[in-house]
Amino acid sequence: MITDAEILQEAIRLVADGVSVTLPVNGRSMLPFIIGGQESVILQKPEMLKRGDVVLAWVEGNRYVVHRIIRIDGNQVTLMGDGNLAGVERCTLGDVKAKATHVVSADEKRHDLYNGWRRMAAKVWWTLRPIRRYLLAIYRRL
């Protein structure tokens, strides 16, 4: 039987070879922009990374996450999940294995992660960090 780790390693290898890969995501760390357990992300080679990009990265030497870049300082990258209240992860640029370009919804529709309204919504969501706890509680109940 193939493990999740083996599937992830193969996805990373394919992305490094220039192939786009669709990967299902789990967890709540990217709510409300990516719904774990229901949606997938399309991953591509991580070129020209910048603040606001959603990436697949090996963080803190122990796990992979799909989170948003909140800071790049030289070779150091700081990430935070949109659904996280305060915690951040750190890695190097070399630890960023892929950039998510689209979300694929449960009904198989592709949504560009970087269209105008999603970029604006992500910026607004970032500024709402002090009240995210309450907004996420409401969102989860809906």
Side-chain angles (χ1 to χ4, degrees):
M1 183 166 168
I2 298 174
T3 67
D4 288 347
E6 291 170 323
I7 292 169
L8 193 52
Q9 287 302 318
E10 181 63 12
I12 290 167
R13 186 190 68 73
L14 288 168
V15 167
D17 288 344
V19 177
S20 291
V21 173
T22 302
L23 189 72
V25 292
N26 292 314
R28 296 178 164 197
S29 67
M30 284 302 289
L31 287 175
F33 297 101
I34 302 173
I35 303 169
Q38 296 179 30
E39 296 181 325
S40 300
V41 290
I42 296 177
L43 301 173
Q44 294 183 351
K45 236 179 184 175
E47 298 173 342
M48 299 183 61
L49 295 172
K50 61 187 176 304
R51 183 177 179 201
D53 287 346
V54 176
V55 297
L56 170 67
W58 178 250
V59 296
E60 299 167 356
N62 65 8
R63 70 188 192 288
Y64 283 101
V65 297
V66 174
H67 283 172
R68 193 176 302 275
I69 295 174
I70 61 170
R71 181 179 305 123
I72 299 176
D73 186 18
N75 190 41
Q76 298 300 306
V77 179
T78 305
L79 306 165
M80 183 178 199
D82 292 336
N84 292 351
L85 301 174
V88 298
E89 297 91 9
R90 290 177 177 79
C91 66
T92 65
L93 283 172
D95 292 326
V96 176
K97 303 303 181 185
K99 177 180 175 180
T101 59
H102 295 80
V103 174
V104 181
S105 61
D107 61 358
E108 302 292 323
K109 292 183 181 172
R110 287 172 51 136
H111 305 280
D112 183 356
L113 274 171
Y114 308 105
N115 65 20
W117 83 264
R118 280 189 186 255
R119 281 189 184 277
M120 182 184 66
K123 286 178 184 177
V124 169
W125 187 246
W126 175 254
T127 63
L128 293 174
R129 278 186 334 275
I131 62 169
R132 269 189 197 177
R133 172 183 319 270
Y134 309 107
L135 297 173
L136 284 168
I138 293 167
Y139 178 83
R140 288 178 181 142
R141 284 178 178 81
L142 298 177

